[in-house]
Amino acid sequence: MTITHDEVKRLFGDINDHMIVEIMNSGATMVELEEVVAHLAQETDVMGELERPLDGRALQIYNLLRRADEAWEEDR
């Protein structure tokens, strides 16, 4: 099932449309995106036994969002 623009916005908040398109085109599943959200929020403890390092598409999305966040922090 393809992830929609609205689902990405719901999960990641106010990110630019370019990043939303990149996330949508990544082929990531909703489960992978939810893992990214948990890692970004540093709430990996709520994942219980599922806690594991990100890899593959989830890691790529995580890195994309962290780079954007770090760039935004530097512009402040």
Side-chain angles (χ1 to χ4, degrees):
M1 180 175 181
T2 304
I3 303 299
T4 68
H5 181 276
D6 289 342
E7 289 171 325
V8 174
K9 286 288 267 193
R10 180 180 56 80
L11 288 170
F12 298 109
D14 190 26
I15 61 174
N16 69 47
D17 284 337
H18 176 74
M19 283 200 293
I20 291 173
V21 170
E22 282 192 57
I23 292 168
M24 290 171 58
N25 289 338
S26 72
T29 65
M30 185 59 77
V31 170
E32 289 171 318
L33 296 181
E34 289 170 346
E35 287 182 38
V36 173
V37 169
H39 279 267
L40 288 170
Q42 299 179 346
E43 295 178 357
T44 53
D45 59 316
V46 299
M47 297 170 65
E49 293 178 13
L50 295 178
E51 182 179 347
R52 62 180 188 270
L54 292 175
D55 62 2
R57 296 179 296 217
L59 181 59
Q60 289 174 335
I61 293 167
Y62 176 86
N63 288 334
L64 170 74
L65 294 168
R66 289 297 301 146
R67 280 192 307 272
D69 189 46
E70 289 169 2
W72 185 81
E73 289 291 325
E74 289 175 7
D75 287 344
R76 293 176 98 194

